[in-house]
C-alpha cells in the first residue's frame, strides 16, 4: 500500500490525482492532503478519503474547517501554515508526494520531498525552473525517485530508455521535441493580441487547467518554462531541445535518436494519464481515460512556434542559456505580469515586456542554495511590479 501526500489537492492536478487514486483503493492510501484555502472542496475530499492529516495554509480557513469537522467521526488532524506542508512532505509515514502546488509557492515543499528521498510526482514546474541545480542535487543526494507529471515531460520520460537517468550520455538521444498546442491565440499576430482579454486567454482549446497556467499557455511561456524544466530534468542542452506547435495535443512530446528513430507518447489530452503513469510506475494502472482512437482522431498538424508574436518562448530560451538565477527571475516576473493581466492592470502584450525588462535589470548570479533562488525571486517581483504601470 503506497501512502500518499497530495500537496495542492484542490487544484486541477490534485483533483485528477484523487480521481485516479479512488479507482485503486487496494494500492493507495491518502495519508495527507494540503490546500491553500479552498476549504469547501477540501472538506469534501477529507470526508471521502479520511486522511490522517490535512493542511490549510490560511490559518483562518483552517480554523473554520476544524469547526466544520468537529462532531464528525473523522480522525483527520487539521494543521495550518506553510511549514505544515513541509512537514507532511517529509513525514516518515509518506512514501509518495504529489507536488502539485502551483507557482513559486510550491517550491519549498517539492524540494523538501526530494530532500527526504520520497517518490516525488512533480507537477510543480517552478521547483525545476527556479531551482533546477539545487533540486536535482537534492534528488541525487537523497536517492529520491523523480517522476514528471507535466504531460510533455511525462511523455519524454516514457520515450527514454528505463536506465536513462543512470547513464544519460549513452543512449544516443539527438533531440527532445516538446509539443505545444499553441494555446487559444495560435495564428494571432501582435495587432490582434493587443485586444485579447483574460477570459479569452483562460479558455484553452484542449486542456482544462488552472487560470495561471492557461495564460502561460496562451503566451507560450508555459512551453518556455517546460524547456527549462526539460533541461534540468533530463540533462539536455538548450540547443538539443526543440518546440513544435501541434494543435491537436495528441502527441504529448517526442525523443529523436541519432539513428533517426523518433519515439513519442500519444493519448487523449487528459492529465489522469501522466498521473496514473507516475503513480503506478513501473506498473501500468487504469486511469479512467478513454482509449485513443486513431481513426477518429483525424490528422495531426505541426507548425513552427511564432516567436515574433509570442516572445515569451524566446525569453525562456535566453534565460536558460544565461542559467544561474535568470530562470528564477524570468519565472517571478512572469507570475507578477500574469497576475496583473488577470486583474486587467496590463494588457496581454505587456506580459513579455515586463519579463524582458526585469531580466535586463536584475543582475544574474550563481544558484548554490534555495536562499539564492528566493533572493532573485523577491528582487524580480519587486522590479516587475514597478514596471506594470508605464
Ligand atoms: Mg505541460
Amino acid at each position: 500500500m503506497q501512502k500518499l501526500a497530495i500537496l495542492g489537492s484542490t487544484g486541477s492536478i490534485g483533483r485528477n490525482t484523487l480521481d485516479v487514486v479512488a479507482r485503486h483503493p487496494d494500492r493507495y492510501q491518502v495519508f495527507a492532503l494540503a490546500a491553500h484555502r479552498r476549504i469547501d472542496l477540501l472538506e469534501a475530499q477529507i470526508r471521502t478519503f479520511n486522511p490522517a492529516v490535512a493542511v490549510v495554509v490560511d490559518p483562518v480557513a483552517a480554523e473554520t474547517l476544524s469547526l466544520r469537522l468537529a462532531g464528525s467521526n473523522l480522525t483527520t488532524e487539521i494543521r495550518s501554515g506553510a511549514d505544515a506542508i513541509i512537514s507532511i512532505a517529509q513525514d516518515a509515514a509518506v512514501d509518495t508526494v504529489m507536488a502539485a502546488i502551483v507557482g513559486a509557492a510550491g517550491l519549498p515543499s517539492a524540494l523538501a520531498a526530494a530532500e527526504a528521498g520520497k517518490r516525488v510526482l512533480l507537477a510543480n514546474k517552478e521547483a525545476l525552473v527556479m531551482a533546477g541545480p539545487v533540486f536535482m542535487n537534492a534528488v541525487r543526494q537523497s536517492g529520491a525517485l523523480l517522476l514528471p507529471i507535466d504531460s510533455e515531460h511525462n511523455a519524454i520520460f516514457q520515450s527514454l530508455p528505463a536506465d536513462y537517468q543512470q547513464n544519460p550520455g549513452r543512449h544516443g538521444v539527438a533531440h527532445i521535441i516538446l509539443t505545444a498546442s499553441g494555446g487559444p491565440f495560435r495564428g494571432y499576430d501582435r495587432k490582434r493580441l493587443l485586444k485579447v482579454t483574460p477570459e479569452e486567454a483562460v479558455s484553452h482549446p484542449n486542456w482544462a487547467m488552472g487560470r495561471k497556467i492557461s495564460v502561460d499557455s496562451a503566451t507560450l511561456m508555459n512551453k518556455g518554462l517546460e524547456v527549462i524544466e526539460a533541461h534540468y530534468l533530463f540533462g539536455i542542452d538548450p540547443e538539443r531541445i526543440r518546440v513544435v506547435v501541434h494543435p491537436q495535443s495528441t502527441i504529448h512530446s517526442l525523443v529523436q535518436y541519432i539513428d533517426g528513430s523518433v519515439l513519442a507518447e500519444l493519448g487523449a489530452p487528459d492529465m489522469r494519464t501522466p498521473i496514473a503513469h507516475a503513480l503506478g510506475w513501473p506498473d501500468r494502472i487504469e486511469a479512467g481515460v478513454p482509449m485513443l482512437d486513431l481513426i477518429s482522431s483525424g490528422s495531426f498538424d505541426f507548425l513552427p512556434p511564432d516567436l515574433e508574436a509570442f516572445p515569451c518562448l524566446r525569453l525562456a530560451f535566453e534565460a536558460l542559456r544565461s542559467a544561474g538565477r535568470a530562470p528564477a527571475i524570468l519565472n517571478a516576473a512572469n507570475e507578477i505580469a500574469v497576475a496583473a493581466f488577470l486583474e486587467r492592470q496590463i494588457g496581454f502584450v505587456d506580459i513579455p515586456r515586463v519579463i524582458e525588462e526585469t531580466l535586463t535589470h536584475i543582475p544574474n548570479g550563481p544558484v548554490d542554495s534555495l536562499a539564492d533562488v528566493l533572493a532573485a525571486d523577491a528582487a524580480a517581483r519587486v522590479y516587475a511590479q514597478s514596471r506594470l504601470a508605464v
Side-chain angles (χ1 to χ4, degrees):
M1 188 69 96
Q2 257 187 68
K3 290 198 178 174
L4 311 177
I6 301 171
L7 315 182
S9 70
T10 56
S12 168
I13 297 288
R15 297 194 308 270
N16 277 309
T17 302
L18 289 170
D19 182 282
V20 176
V21 165
R23 295 166 194 274
H24 304 280
D26 51 321
R27 289 184 72 111
Y28 305 107
Q29 185 187 336
V30 178
F31 176 82
L33 296 172
H36 189 62
R37 58 165 167 248
R38 290 172 64 184
I39 53 170
D40 289 349
L41 181 52
L42 183 61
E43 181 185 353
Q45 291 175 342
I46 291 169
R47 291 186 185 279
T48 305
F49 293 94
N50 192 18
V53 184
V55 176
V56 186
V57 175
D58 183 88
V60 177
E63 187 63 39
T64 308
L65 180 62
S66 295
L67 290 172
R68 284 197 208 166
L69 292 172
S72 71
N73 49 16
L74 292 164
T75 51
T76 305
E77 177 198 344
I78 308 296
R79 299 184 196 160
S80 75
D83 286 350
I85 298 190
I86 305 271
S87 75
I88 57 170
Q90 300 197 312
D91 196 301
V94 170
D95 308 302
T96 298
V97 175
M98 168 57 85
I101 295 172
V102 175
L107 166 59
S109 53
L111 184 60
E115 285 170 344
K118 302 298 185 189
R119 182 182 175 108
V120 182
L121 278 45
L122 188 65
N124 170 277
K125 290 186 192 338
E126 288 74 11
L128 288 168
V129 170
M130 296 173 66
V134 175
F135 189 83
M136 293 309 289
N137 204 26
V139 168
R140 277 187 290 272
Q141 288 196 345
S142 70
L145 174 64
L146 182 58
L147 294 158
I149 296 296
D150 207 345
S151 63
E152 294 79 0
H153 305 79
N154 185 269
I156 292 164
F157 182 94
Q158 296 197 48
S159 303
L160 287 169
D163 64 344
Y164 178 78
Q165 296 291 3
Q166 285 75 48
N167 217 339
R170 295 217 9 227
H171 296 297
V173 173
H175 303 109
I176 277 178
I177 305 171
L178 296 172
T179 54
S181 69
F185 307 139
R186 179 172 48 83
Y188 283 34
D189 59 12
R190 192 184 151 82
K191 192 165 159 247
R192 226 174 140 192
L193 290 173
L194 286 169
K195 294 184 217 125
V196 300
T197 65
E199 290 71 28
E200 291 168 322
V202 301
S203 59
H204 194 278
N206 303 337
W207 296 92
M209 305 182 292
R211 276 158 62 83
K212 196 269 178 180
I213 188 171
S214 294
V215 176
D216 285 346
S217 175
T219 62
L220 291 196
M221 180 55 94
N222 184 51
K223 211 51 51 181
L225 298 177
E226 290 178 354
V227 167
I228 299 170
E229 206 183 340
H231 164 74
Y232 290 115
L233 200 46
F234 304 114
I236 298 267
D237 298 336
E239 290 67 37
R240 293 200 290 143
I241 304 174
R242 306 274 156 87
V243 173
V244 62
V245 174
H246 165 48
Q248 291 83 12
S249 297
T250 303
I251 302 173
H252 298 144
S253 279
L254 316 89
V255 178
Q256 192 159 40
Y257 290 86
I258 52 175
D259 62 2
S261 300
V262 180
L263 301 190
E265 186 263 338
L266 288 73
D270 188 319
M271 287 309 294
R272 290 176 298 176
T273 294
I275 289 166
H277 169 266
L279 275 171
W281 191 86
D283 297 345
R284 293 277 178 178
I285 60 169
E286 203 268 324
V289 177
M291 293 289 117
L292 177 66
D293 179 55
L294 285 170
I295 305 291
S296 67
S297 61
S299 61
F300 293 165
D301 299 313
F302 304 98
L303 306 153
D306 180 353
L307 300 187
E308 295 278 316
F310 302 94
C312 285
L313 182 56
R314 169 179 62 79
L315 293 171
F317 265 106
E318 287 172 10
L320 177 56
R321 288 194 197 97
S322 304
R325 302 180 189 189
I329 294 165
L330 171 98
N331 177 71
N334 181 56
E335 287 195 17
I336 295 295
V338 170
F341 169 68
L342 285 169
E343 296 295 321
R344 297 172 206 281
Q345 292 168 359
I346 62 172
F348 187 78
V349 299
D350 290 313
I351 296 172
R353 173 187 62 76
V354 169
I355 297 165
E356 187 151 27
E357 288 172 359
T358 307
L359 274 169
T360 308
H361 185 264
I362 303 290
N364 200 355
V367 167
D368 296 319
S369 67
L370 186 58
D372 293 339
V373 171
L374 297 179
D377 176 83
R381 280 170 199 275
V382 171
Y383 188 75
Q385 198 74 45
S386 78
R387 301 304 301 164
L388 296 177
V390 288

